Amino acid sequence: AAAAVAAAGPRRGRLGQEARASLAAFLLGASVAALPVALGSPTALLAAPGLRGRLALALHVAGVNAALLLLYPRPLYKIAVRACFLGFAFGCGLLLSAGRSAWRHFGWYMCSLSLFHYSEYLVTAINNPRSLSLDSFLLNHSFEYNLAALSSWVEFTLEKLLFPELKQITWLSTVGLLMVIFGDCLRKAAMLTAGSNFNHIVQNEKSDTHTLVTSGVYGWFRHPSYVGWFYWSIGTQVLLCNPVCMVGYTLVSWRFFRERIEEEEITLIHFFGEEYLEYKRKVPSGLPFIKGVKVEL
């Protein structure tokens, strides 16, 4: 589970076949960022691609996909094509970020979003390869998650057309970018600290080797992975200067994590009893106005 639990497991840190394939594919997709150099137009490929730019992008996508088909058998290809898609999005984000178009801040967002999803897979591959699957990319997290992302894109586009000056508040986008970096780094630190027991699916059965982790980022917050995701998600909307989605993301995320933490802490109390209750008394949840499950004495 994403709680403060760790279990003894195989030695971590060595990249397995799936992790190596995903990393190579991610970098291959991100190589789209080098196309403008080859075309002699370093900043204009996505802002005003023209026929030559569109053709270069199409050839890059086709060539990369053909390379993946040749390099990997079908099970690894499924991993590689997802990682490559995220790498391509990251590379396109870099191109938008480097330009001076009105879409610059959206480029920051693309980099943040694609790197978040890819790093979820890579850290899981390093940390807990036994739980690794295509779902570790979190690309199919839930219908609600996908709807929230789509809503933020629609709001950004509409407001860019109607109120273009709203999307050029660089200091506000910079604050959002810092929130995104902080949130993602905190979440990945939590995953690495929890070790091989971290799983994207909440676990309801306790193994004999499970121990309560109270060190590292778990000494700051009881649920650092949730804290990281909470501020990361809100930060993406601050970055985009999306006032409607910023409020919506805050309210929905807060409610989701309040219910998730209460539900999860019932399991943790069942697992660890007084040991977890003592930890709960000393360390805050990390999320504003969320104290976790109430315990009747």
Short mmCIF file of all heavy atoms in Angstrom, two decimals, residues 26-56:
data_model
loop_
_atom_site.label_atom_id
_atom_site.label_comp_id
_atom_site.label_asym_id
_atom_site.label_seq_id
_atom_site.Cartn_x
_atom_site.Cartn_y
_atom_site.Cartn_z
N PHE A 26 11.67 5.63 -23.72
CA PHE A 26 11.36 6.99 -23.28
C PHE A 26 12.34 7.98 -23.91
O PHE A 26 11.95 9.03 -24.44
CB PHE A 26 11.42 7.08 -21.76
CG PHE A 26 11.10 8.45 -21.22
CD1 PHE A 26 9.78 8.83 -20.99
CD2 PHE A 26 12.11 9.36 -20.94
CE1 PHE A 26 9.47 10.10 -20.49
CE2 PHE A 26 11.82 10.63 -20.45
CZ PHE A 26 10.49 11.00 -20.23
N LEU A 27 13.62 7.63 -23.87
CA LEU A 27 14.64 8.52 -24.45
C LEU A 27 14.50 8.62 -25.96
O LEU A 27 14.71 9.69 -26.55
CB LEU A 27 16.03 8.01 -24.07
CG LEU A 27 16.37 8.07 -22.57
CD1 LEU A 27 17.73 7.43 -22.31
CD2 LEU A 27 16.36 9.51 -22.07
N LEU A 28 14.11 7.50 -26.57
CA LEU A 28 13.91 7.51 -28.02
C LEU A 28 12.75 8.45 -28.40
O LEU A 28 12.84 9.22 -29.35
CB LEU A 28 13.63 6.09 -28.51
CG LEU A 28 13.72 5.83 -30.01
CD1 LEU A 28 15.11 6.14 -30.54
CD2 LEU A 28 13.37 4.36 -30.30
N GLY A 29 11.67 8.37 -27.63
CA GLY A 29 10.55 9.27 -27.89
C GLY A 29 10.91 10.72 -27.64
O GLY A 29 10.53 11.61 -28.40
N ALA A 30 11.68 10.96 -26.56
CA ALA A 30 12.07 12.33 -26.22
C ALA A 30 13.03 12.94 -27.23
O ALA A 30 13.20 14.17 -27.27
CB ALA A 30 12.71 12.35 -24.83
N SER A 31 13.63 12.09 -28.08
CA SER A 31 14.57 12.61 -29.08
C SER A 31 13.90 13.53 -30.09
O SER A 31 14.58 14.19 -30.88
CB SER A 31 15.26 11.45 -29.81
OG SER A 31 14.33 10.71 -30.59
N VAL A 32 12.55 13.60 -30.05
CA VAL A 32 11.85 14.55 -30.92
C VAL A 32 12.32 15.98 -30.64
O VAL A 32 12.25 16.85 -31.52
CB VAL A 32 10.32 14.43 -30.73
CG1 VAL A 32 9.90 14.93 -29.34
CG2 VAL A 32 9.58 15.20 -31.81
N ALA A 33 12.81 16.21 -29.44
CA ALA A 33 13.28 17.56 -29.09
C ALA A 33 14.48 17.99 -29.92
O ALA A 33 14.78 19.18 -30.01
CB ALA A 33 13.64 17.61 -27.60
N ALA A 34 15.17 17.01 -30.53
CA ALA A 34 16.33 17.34 -31.35
C ALA A 34 15.97 17.66 -32.80
O ALA A 34 16.82 18.12 -33.56
CB ALA A 34 17.33 16.18 -31.31
N LEU A 35 14.74 17.43 -33.19
CA LEU A 35 14.34 17.66 -34.58
C LEU A 35 14.55 19.10 -35.06
O LEU A 35 15.03 19.32 -36.18
CB LEU A 35 12.88 17.25 -34.78
CG LEU A 35 12.59 15.76 -34.99
CD1 LEU A 35 11.10 15.56 -35.22
CD2 LEU A 35 13.40 15.20 -36.16
N PRO A 36 14.18 20.09 -34.25
CA PRO A 36 14.36 21.47 -34.74
C PRO A 36 15.80 21.81 -35.10
O PRO A 36 16.04 22.61 -36.00
CB PRO A 36 13.87 22.32 -33.55
CG PRO A 36 12.96 21.42 -32.81
CD PRO A 36 13.55 20.06 -32.94
N VAL A 37 16.74 21.22 -34.38
CA VAL A 37 18.15 21.46 -34.69
C VAL A 37 18.46 20.96 -36.10
O VAL A 37 19.13 21.64 -36.90
CB VAL A 37 19.06 20.79 -33.66
CG1 VAL A 37 20.53 21.00 -34.02
CG2 VAL A 37 18.77 21.33 -32.26
N ALA A 38 17.95 19.78 -36.41
CA ALA A 38 18.18 19.20 -37.74
C ALA A 38 17.50 20.03 -38.84
O ALA A 38 18.00 20.13 -39.96
CB ALA A 38 17.68 17.76 -37.78
N LEU A 39 16.35 20.62 -38.46
CA LEU A 39 15.60 21.41 -39.45
C LEU A 39 16.06 22.86 -39.52
O LEU A 39 15.60 23.63 -40.36
CB LEU A 39 14.10 21.35 -39.13
CG LEU A 39 13.43 19.99 -39.24
CD1 LEU A 39 11.99 20.07 -38.78
CD2 LEU A 39 13.50 19.47 -40.67
N GLY A 40 16.91 23.26 -38.59
CA GLY A 40 17.39 24.63 -38.58
C GLY A 40 16.40 25.64 -38.05
O GLY A 40 16.50 26.83 -38.34
N SER A 41 15.39 25.17 -37.26
CA SER A 41 14.41 26.09 -36.66
C SER A 41 14.20 25.68 -35.21
O SER A 41 13.19 25.06 -34.88
CB SER A 41 13.08 26.05 -37.41
OG SER A 41 12.64 24.70 -37.51
N PRO A 42 15.13 25.97 -34.32
CA PRO A 42 15.14 25.46 -32.96
C PRO A 42 13.90 25.73 -32.12
O PRO A 42 13.61 24.99 -31.21
CB PRO A 42 16.35 26.17 -32.33
CG PRO A 42 17.18 26.60 -33.47
CD PRO A 42 16.26 26.84 -34.60
N THR A 43 13.17 26.80 -32.38
CA THR A 43 12.06 27.13 -31.49
C THR A 43 10.70 27.10 -32.15
O THR A 43 9.69 27.33 -31.49
CB THR A 43 12.27 28.54 -30.90
OG1 THR A 43 12.29 29.49 -31.96
CG2 THR A 43 13.58 28.61 -30.11
N ALA A 44 10.61 26.84 -33.44
CA ALA A 44 9.34 27.04 -34.13
C ALA A 44 8.65 25.76 -34.59
O ALA A 44 7.62 25.82 -35.23
CB ALA A 44 9.55 27.95 -35.35
N LEU A 45 9.20 24.60 -34.26
CA LEU A 45 8.67 23.36 -34.82
C LEU A 45 7.21 23.13 -34.44
O LEU A 45 6.40 22.74 -35.27
CB LEU A 45 9.52 22.17 -34.38
CG LEU A 45 9.07 20.81 -34.93
CD1 LEU A 45 9.17 20.82 -36.45
CD2 LEU A 45 9.89 19.68 -34.37
N LEU A 46 6.86 23.37 -33.17
CA LEU A 46 5.49 23.12 -32.73
C LEU A 46 4.63 24.37 -32.80
O LEU A 46 3.43 24.28 -33.00
CB LEU A 46 5.49 22.57 -31.30
CG LEU A 46 6.15 21.20 -31.12
CD1 LEU A 46 6.04 20.75 -29.68
CD2 LEU A 46 5.50 20.16 -32.03
N ALA A 47 5.22 25.54 -32.61
CA ALA A 47 4.44 26.77 -32.64
C ALA A 47 3.91 27.06 -34.05
O ALA A 47 2.77 27.46 -34.23
CB ALA A 47 5.29 27.94 -32.15
N ALA A 48 4.75 26.84 -35.06
CA ALA A 48 4.34 27.05 -36.45
C ALA A 48 5.07 26.03 -37.32
O ALA A 48 6.05 26.34 -37.99
CB ALA A 48 4.69 28.46 -36.88
N PRO A 49 4.61 24.79 -37.28
CA PRO A 49 5.38 23.72 -37.88
C PRO A 49 5.52 23.78 -39.40
O PRO A 49 6.57 23.44 -39.92
CB PRO A 49 4.59 22.46 -37.46
CG PRO A 49 3.22 22.95 -37.18
CD PRO A 49 3.37 24.33 -36.66
N GLY A 50 4.49 24.20 -40.09
CA GLY A 50 4.57 24.20 -41.54
C GLY A 50 4.61 22.77 -42.07
O GLY A 50 4.64 21.79 -41.32
N LEU A 51 4.59 22.65 -43.39
CA LEU A 51 4.58 21.33 -44.00
C LEU A 51 5.84 20.53 -43.67
O LEU A 51 5.78 19.35 -43.36
CB LEU A 51 4.43 21.47 -45.52
CG LEU A 51 4.42 20.16 -46.32
CD1 LEU A 51 3.24 19.29 -45.87
CD2 LEU A 51 4.34 20.45 -47.83
N ARG A 52 6.98 21.21 -43.70
CA ARG A 52 8.24 20.52 -43.42
C ARG A 52 8.29 20.00 -41.99
O ARG A 52 8.71 18.88 -41.73
CB ARG A 52 9.38 21.51 -43.66
CG ARG A 52 10.77 20.88 -43.60
CD ARG A 52 11.82 21.92 -43.90
NE ARG A 52 13.16 21.42 -43.74
CZ ARG A 52 14.18 22.15 -43.37
NH1 ARG A 52 14.01 23.43 -43.11
NH2 ARG A 52 15.38 21.62 -43.27
N GLY A 53 7.83 20.81 -41.04
CA GLY A 53 7.82 20.39 -39.65
C GLY A 53 6.87 19.24 -39.39
O GLY A 53 7.20 18.29 -38.67
N ARG A 54 5.67 19.31 -39.99
CA ARG A 54 4.69 18.23 -39.82
C ARG A 54 5.23 16.92 -40.39
O ARG A 54 5.03 15.85 -39.82
CB ARG A 54 3.37 18.61 -40.50
CG ARG A 54 2.64 19.76 -39.84
CD ARG A 54 1.23 19.90 -40.42
NE ARG A 54 0.54 21.05 -39.87
CZ ARG A 54 0.48 22.25 -40.42
NH1 ARG A 54 1.11 22.46 -41.59
NH2 ARG A 54 -0.17 23.24 -39.87
N LEU A 55 5.87 17.02 -41.54
CA LEU A 55 6.44 15.82 -42.16
C LEU A 55 7.54 15.23 -41.28
O LEU A 55 7.62 14.01 -41.11
CB LEU A 55 7.00 16.17 -43.54
CG LEU A 55 7.60 15.00 -44.34
CD1 LEU A 55 6.54 13.93 -44.59
CD2 LEU A 55 8.17 15.50 -45.67
N ALA A 56 8.37 16.09 -40.70
CA ALA A 56 9.44 15.62 -39.82
C ALA A 56 8.87 14.92 -38.59
O ALA A 56 9.36 13.86 -38.17
CB ALA A 56 10.32 16.79 -39.40
#
